[in-house]
């Protein structure tokens, strides 16, 4: 399944090159989102998320993304899940097409002092990214994300950075997306996050660079009695 290997030094080199290269197209986008997770069994959650993306300097609707699935926490260091995505991909306001597919996440987190570092591997069907009448398992894309966050003492505010590499099983490296942001815990079950990101295509004849402002709301519930 993994036809190309990705090591940490190469990952950071690509990150630097992705910011230094000259892009042919640039766009400012806005991505609002909302998610709900419900723990219905010990360490097991059902998760739903909806995200809307606006392109062309945030004047046109680009994509409506809906994810739902299950995740299980094996330990405080490792969580895995399987999800289904269905989305509307807009050419213009009146013309859109549906695309869908499965993906699986494996996430690792390690804490040291007040920092938490993470790595997430995502394996997804190529149909999630393409408007083609292929079989569900006609191809795969794997995504590698590293992250770092800091817990400010006495304040429910967490600054973070992360960067993600997109690798196609057939075509190699396709893009990179990096974020810097803040997450604020309103109450125990509510949180909001504001982040700014750069999404850049790689190995494209006419690459697009998107500068993204994203606002997310999360609700984390439990049906278990304490």
């Amino acid at each position: 399944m993994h036809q190309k290997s990705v090591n940490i030094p190469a990952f950071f080199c690509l990150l630097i090159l992705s910011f230094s290269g000259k892009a042919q197209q640039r766009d400012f986008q806005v991505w609002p989102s909302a998610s709900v997770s419900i723990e219905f069994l010990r360490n097991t959650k059902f998760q739903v998320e909806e995200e809307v993306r606006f392109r062309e300097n945030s004047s046109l609707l680009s994509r409506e993304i809906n994810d739902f699935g299950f995740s299980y926490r094996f330990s405080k260091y490792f969580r895995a899940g399987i999800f289904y995505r269905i989305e509307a991909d807009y050419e213009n306001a009146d013309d859109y097409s549906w695309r869908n597919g499965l993906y699986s996440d494996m996430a690792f987190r390690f804490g040291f002092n007040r920092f938490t570092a993470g790595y997430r591997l995502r394996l997804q069907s190529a149909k999630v990214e393409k408007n083609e009448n292929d079989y569900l398992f006609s191809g795969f894309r794997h995504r590698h994300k590293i992250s770092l966050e800091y817990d400010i003492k006495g304040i429910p505010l967490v600054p973070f950075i992360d960067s993600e590499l997109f690798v196609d099983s057939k075509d190699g490296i396709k893009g990179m997306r990096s974020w810097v942001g803040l997450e604020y815990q309103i109450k125990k079950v509510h949180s909001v996050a504001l982040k700014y990101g750069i999404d850049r295509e790689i190995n494209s004849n006419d690459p697009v660079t998107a500068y993204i402002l994203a606002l997310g709301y999360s609700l984390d519930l439990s049906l278990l009695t304490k």
Side-chain angles (χ1 to χ4, degrees), residues 2-129:
H2 293 267
Q3 297 185 2
K4 297 184 179 290
S5 61
V6 177
N7 57 49
I8 296 301
F11 189 95
F12 281 105
C13 288
L14 283 168
L15 174 60
I16 295 172
L17 290 173
S18 72
F19 282 99
S20 61
K22 183 177 179 181
Q24 299 299 316
Q25 300 184 52
R26 298 183 179 183
D27 189 24
F28 174 70
Q29 303 183 6
V30 174
W31 297 4
S33 65
S35 64
V36 178
S37 62
I38 303 173
E39 186 177 18
F40 61 96
L41 293 173
R42 183 173 177 82
N43 298 323
T44 305
K45 290 185 176 182
F46 173 69
Q47 299 174 232
V48 179
E49 181 175 3
E50 182 172 5
E51 181 179 79
V52 181
R53 299 182 180 180
F54 296 91
R55 58 180 171 85
E56 302 294 333
N57 291 321
S58 305
S59 62
L60 296 177
L61 180 61
S62 175
R63 297 165 69 181
E64 292 182 76
I65 303 172
N66 299 275
D67 295 330
F68 57 92
F70 299 89
S71 68
Y72 182 79
R73 188 180 68 182
F74 292 88
S75 71
K76 67 178 182 178
Y77 304 108
F78 176 59
R79 175 183 289 273
I82 187 166
F83 303 89
Y84 181 75
R85 170 171 290 188
I86 181 170
E87 68 175 70
D89 182 36
Y90 286 80
E91 292 293 332
N92 54 59
D94 300 318
D95 183 16
Y96 64 90
S97 57
W98 291 102
R99 57 192 189 187
N100 60 88
L102 289 169
Y103 67 88
S104 178
D105 285 349
M106 289 166 280
F108 302 84
R109 289 170 62 87
F110 303 93
F112 51 99
N113 295 327
R114 305 194 71 84
F115 289 93
T116 300
Y119 167 73
R120 188 203 69 192
L121 169 64
R122 174 172 293 181
L123 303 175
Q124 66 183 47
S125 167
K127 286 177 65 65
V128 174
E129 301 287 343

Side-chain angles (χ1 to χ4, degrees), residues 148-177:
L148 182 67
E149 61 184 46
Y150 180 75
D151 182 15
I152 301 176
K153 186 176 181 179
I155 302 176
L157 189 66
V158 178
F160 63 87
I161 57 173
D162 65 54
S163 188
E164 186 171 11
L165 191 67
F166 297 75
V167 185
D168 191 271
S169 61
K170 297 179 181 179
D171 302 323
I173 298 170
K174 301 298 293 181
M176 176 169 283
R177 183 182 300 158

